[in-house]
Amino acid sequence: MDNEAIATCVKTRFPEEIGDARIFRNELTLMVKKEYVADVARFLKENKELEFDFLSDLCGVDRIATDDVFEVVYHFYSIQKNHRVRIKALVPAIEPSIPTVTDVWKTANWHERETYDMFGIMFVGHPDLRKILTPDDFEGHPLRKDYPLDGRQPAKLRDIYRKGEA
Amino acid sequence: MTESATTTTTHLMTINMGPQHPSTHGVLRLLLELDGEMITKAVPHVGFLHRGVEKLAEYRTYHQCIPLTDRLDYVAPFSNNLAYALTVEKLLGIEIPERAQHIRVLLCELTRITSHLLWLATHALDIGAMTVFFYCFREREAIYDIFELVSGARMHLSYIRVGGVARDIPGGFLEKIRTFVSEFPSRINEYETLLTDNPIWKKRTVGVGIISAEDAIDFGLSGPSLRGSGVNWDIRKSEPYSGYDKYNFAVPLGKNGDVYDRYRVRIEEMHQSNRIVHQALNILPKGDCIASIPNVTLPSKEDVETKMESMISHFKLITDGIHPPKGEVYTSIEAPKGELGFYLVSDGSSRPYRLKIRPPSFVNLEALPKMVEGRLLSDVVATIGSLDIVLGEIDR
């Protein structure tokens, strides 16, 4: 299916929930209201014409400076049909939370943990939402734009990491 | 004798495997809950090697990110370079000269061979077949010499540039590769005589670490780990990049999704990669090795020394870098370990607004508990080996 056909197909099923569709460099991006992410995801997977069986990637993007939101970006691929789509949902920076898609794809588990770790976005319904890449006593969410490149860890942790003095 | 000493207790034991365990292929830590020798629960802990590559990329120009990508999957640095460069090129919407594409494919497939050689060497060593290790490292050394000849580095090549490759291939390079590809198939057969029909090898791998095709897709497995379960998906075939559609090669598939099938798939992939390298050698066209695009690729050295405009352009590219248009792209390639994807968001400035890396090992490792739970402790080592993980790209 080409990009227009995919966009039409999803929009027919979710006229209210899907915002504008954009095509850039032959890649389709659909904006979804965050409450419906799991429903749209399930539809994409189970619809016989779309058959997006593979969740390629899931990540966050910090847009606080311009819009006071985070973007949660999903990349879907269909192994059967060989097409891709990108789904995007905006979550407010004040209370960043979004439904989980772990019950649609098991692979979403670690992706969502990583996004939580890096941006502090909560995935409601996630079975095991723990940090994954940063240490347990690490404070903050390093991929947020307001997080400085050289870190801002408590002095104790900084001593351990920087000077090797345990 | 007291009563408590004679009754057998049946409580579960939790043991810690890694992060300094030789068979976890880096700094992977596994918390294993054991009932006797049987694993009831396995919880992987990652992140010990986290360097914040995605954060660092936001503070570097587009070209400065290339060396960062080398250090993701450090046994296949060229594939990482390629995936990143393709992403930036897609964002810019530029075309690459034919010759550069063929050089990329050539080196990419040699990289796949080195990556698979390292996998085979350590996988066999983990299970107890030591000889294979020495054989594989002998061939790996030969390829590293080839890499050194072309890029000056053995591991972190950073040979790709946005728009092509850094410089044309040196004299004697093609002959060296030709010698290698003519010998290599017999070397693979040599490894196979040690393993493929070896009863000990089969006892340790057949029926171990099984994952069905449905589960494999659900867990997001890709690359040889997915094809071992019989799913025919190879990005070189489904979404050809860098002119892969011009090459003849087969996509080997497994059937049972066990450690042995993944072994067979990777062995056959080495044969196929060798075939691709052979074809690339024969059809390598003449021409430029990097596109000539103002404000993207550097002008030639001669022009910089003789023309004022070229000198200014050179200076601006080095100090300020390229400015892709506003937008976002996702590109993925078939890296030796699976789907390696880069998601790049540009705000029109000279630095990426966001660079997300989709590392195949990270996603593949997630399926490990599914493969080992209910199996024996010794199977964990075989299963980790068969997933071919590299912690450099898992932890980023």
Side-chain angles (χ1 to χ4, degrees):
Chain A
M1 263 173 123
D2 61 0
N3 286 331
E4 280 85 6
I6 295 172
T8 317
C9 182
V10 183
K11 274 194 154 176
T12 319
R13 171 68 182 75
F14 294 101
E16 294 293 307
E17 295 83 347
I18 298 280
D20 57 335
R22 264 172 286 163
I23 297 178
F24 176 73
R25 302 283 185 240
N26 205 24
E27 288 181 14
L28 174 66
T29 309
L30 295 172
M31 302 296 291
V32 181
K33 285 187 185 153
K34 70 159 191 164
E35 298 81 17
Y36 303 103
V37 151
D39 300 335
V40 172
R42 192 174 293 279
F43 170 74
L44 288 173
K45 187 183 183 186
E46 287 169 3
N47 184 288
K48 282 283 160 268
E49 281 166 40
L50 300 172
E51 226 175 331
F52 283 102
D53 46 6
F54 193 82
L55 175 67
S56 259
D57 191 28
L58 191 168
C59 68
V61 179
D62 182 333
R63 296 280 189 192
I64 294 179
T66 48
D67 305 311
D68 214 21
V69 291
F70 290 110
E71 286 174 351
V72 181
V73 187
Y74 304 78
H75 287 96
F76 298 132
Y77 176 67
S78 168
I79 294 177
Q80 305 300 327
K81 299 274 168 37
N82 191 23
H83 50 216
R84 286 183 188 270
V85 70
R86 176 186 304 128
I87 299 285
K88 244 188 203 185
L90 304 178
V91 294
I94 307 283
E95 200 216 329
S97 74
I98 189 165
T100 178
V101 293
T102 42
D103 38 10
V104 190
W105 290 277
K106 291 209 179 74
T107 177
N109 191 319
W110 279 23
H111 285 303
E112 290 185 352
R113 279 179 65 189
E114 187 190 329
T115 310
Y116 160 69
D117 194 0
M118 294 294 140
F119 291 94
I121 299 169
M122 305 299 291
F123 289 87
V124 179
H126 189 287
D128 183 26
L129 197 63
R130 286 179 291 128
K131 286 142 117 7
I132 188 164
L133 292 179
T134 58
D136 290 341
D137 47 1
F138 188 92
E139 285 170 16
H141 301 289
L143 276 181
R144 288 188 175 188
K145 288 282 180 187
D146 63 356
Y147 190 91
L149 184 63
D150 53 358
R152 53 158 188 242
Q153 293 310 303
K156 196 178 132 234
L157 200 62
R158 188 171 288 198
D159 285 347
I160 296 169
Y161 289 158
R162 298 278 152 74
K163 295 173 192 146
E165 299 162 2
Chain B
M1 203 179 262
T2 59
E3 199 194 351
S4 63
T6 51
T7 48
T8 45
T9 50
T10 54
H11 58 88
L12 300 174
M13 183 167 70
T14 306
I15 65 159
N16 199 23
M17 185 172 168
Q20 288 101 352
H21 191 284
S23 296
T24 56
H25 294 241
V27 283
L28 167 66
R29 174 174 169 234
L30 287 173
L31 265 184
L32 301 170
E33 205 178 84
L34 296 173
D35 180 3
E37 282 259 9
M38 204 184 73
I39 290 157
T40 52
K41 198 176 168 203
V43 184
H45 287 260
V46 298
F48 293 93
L49 214 59
H50 182 59
R51 295 142 290 164
V53 170
E54 290 172 10
K55 183 82 176 174
L56 288 169
E58 291 173 9
Y59 290 79
R60 272 155 180 72
T61 63
Y62 283 90
H63 262 124
Q64 286 172 339
C65 292
I66 295 175
L68 287 180
T69 64
D70 273 327
R71 285 141 181 91
L72 296 169
D73 175 1
Y74 43 75
V75 297
F78 197 83
S79 300
N80 309 335
N81 289 171
L82 179 65
Y84 173 72
L86 286 174
T87 313
V88 182
E89 284 155 8
K90 189 172 185 186
L91 185 63
L92 289 161
I94 57 175
E95 290 289 322
I96 310 307
E98 281 275 296
R99 184 175 175 84
Q101 293 203 3
H102 281 83
I103 297 174
R104 284 177 172 191
V105 168
L106 190 96
L107 286 164
C108 215
E109 292 308 314
L110 283 175
T111 301
R112 192 182 312 278
I113 293 174
T114 54
S115 172
H116 283 4
L117 281 175
L118 186 96
W119 154 78
L120 182 61
T122 51
H123 184 35
L125 188 68
D126 286 346
I127 300 183
M130 199 167 198
T131 320
V132 188
F133 184 89
F134 297 107
Y135 285 177
C136 289
F137 266 62
R138 179 185 60 195
E139 271 72 71
R140 192 164 166 268
E141 196 61 31
I143 301 184
Y144 272 27
D145 285 346
I146 294 170
F147 287 165
E148 193 175 5
L149 194 64
V150 72
S151 75
R154 284 161 55 79
M155 279 192 86
H156 301 308
L157 307 191
S158 289
Y159 175 61
I160 286 191
R161 296 290 178 275
V162 174
V165 292
R167 64 192 81 83
D168 211 344
I169 51 175
F173 174 71
L174 295 179
E175 289 67 42
K176 216 162 176 176
I177 299 180
R178 222 175 282 268
T179 320
F180 178 82
V181 291
S182 59
E183 278 176 11
F184 188 57
S186 65
R187 300 295 169 105
I188 305 176
N189 295 338
E190 211 171 277
Y191 316 144
E192 282 211 81
T193 54
L194 291 170
L195 298 174
T196 305
D197 294 319
N198 182 331
I200 305 171
W201 180 257
K202 287 183 102 168
K203 276 243 152 90
R204 291 296 306 273
T205 57
V206 176
V208 171
I210 297 177
I211 189 156
S212 69
E214 295 82 53
D215 281 339
I217 294 173
D218 200 17
F219 274 103
L221 285 186
S222 53
S225 304
L226 177 66
R227 290 191 286 273
S229 298
V231 181
N232 188 356
W233 179 42
D234 185 319
I235 300 176
R236 291 174 295 174
K237 290 277 188 196
S238 65
E239 299 159 281
Y241 51 90
S242 296
Y244 265 110
D245 42 349
K246 298 190 193 81
Y247 297 90
N248 283 320
F249 63 98
V251 178
L253 295 178
K255 222 162 77 188
N256 307 319
D258 57 5
V259 174
Y260 188 69
D261 275 14
R262 292 192 279 276
Y263 156 78
R264 291 294 294 269
V265 165
R266 287 201 183 88
I267 289 281
E268 186 51 35
E269 273 190 10
M270 287 201 269
H271 279 295
Q272 297 301 332
S273 292
N274 203 64
R275 258 179 85 187
I276 298 174
V277 174
H278 202 82
Q279 293 170 47
L281 283 175
N282 291 336
I283 56 175
L284 186 68
K286 291 209 173 2
D288 294 328
C289 63
I290 187 159
S292 172
I293 300 161
N295 301 326
V296 175
T297 54
L298 291 175
S300 74
K301 193 80 187 165
E302 199 190 326
D303 282 355
V304 173
E305 284 166 357
T306 53
K307 291 183 190 145
M308 191 62 183
E309 296 75 22
S310 300
M311 201 192 80
I312 294 170
S313 152
H314 185 274
F315 179 77
K316 284 207 72 167
L317 266 176
I318 296 289
T319 52
D320 193 26
I322 45 182
H323 290 254
K326 239 179 174 172
E328 53 191 336
V329 287
Y330 177 83
T331 314
S332 59
I333 68 160
E334 186 68 31
K337 289 161 183 72
E339 181 191 10
L340 171 66
F342 281 84
Y343 171 54
L344 188 56
V345 182
S346 157
D347 58 353
S349 73
S350 63
R351 289 166 167 76
Y353 185 78
R354 170 90 168 98
L355 180 71
K356 170 69 176 40
I357 303 154
R358 189 256 188 225
S361 298
F362 179 79
V363 187
N364 289 355
L365 178 66
E366 201 181 342
L368 182 73
K370 172 83 188 166
M371 295 178 183
V372 298
E373 278 168 8
R375 305 283 316 189
L376 296 178
L377 176 60
S378 57
D379 293 344
V380 175
V381 170
T383 311
I384 295 175
S386 78
L387 281 175
D388 192 16
I389 53 165
V390 159
L391 273 294
E393 69 171 1
I394 292 178
D395 296 344
R396 281 159 287 153

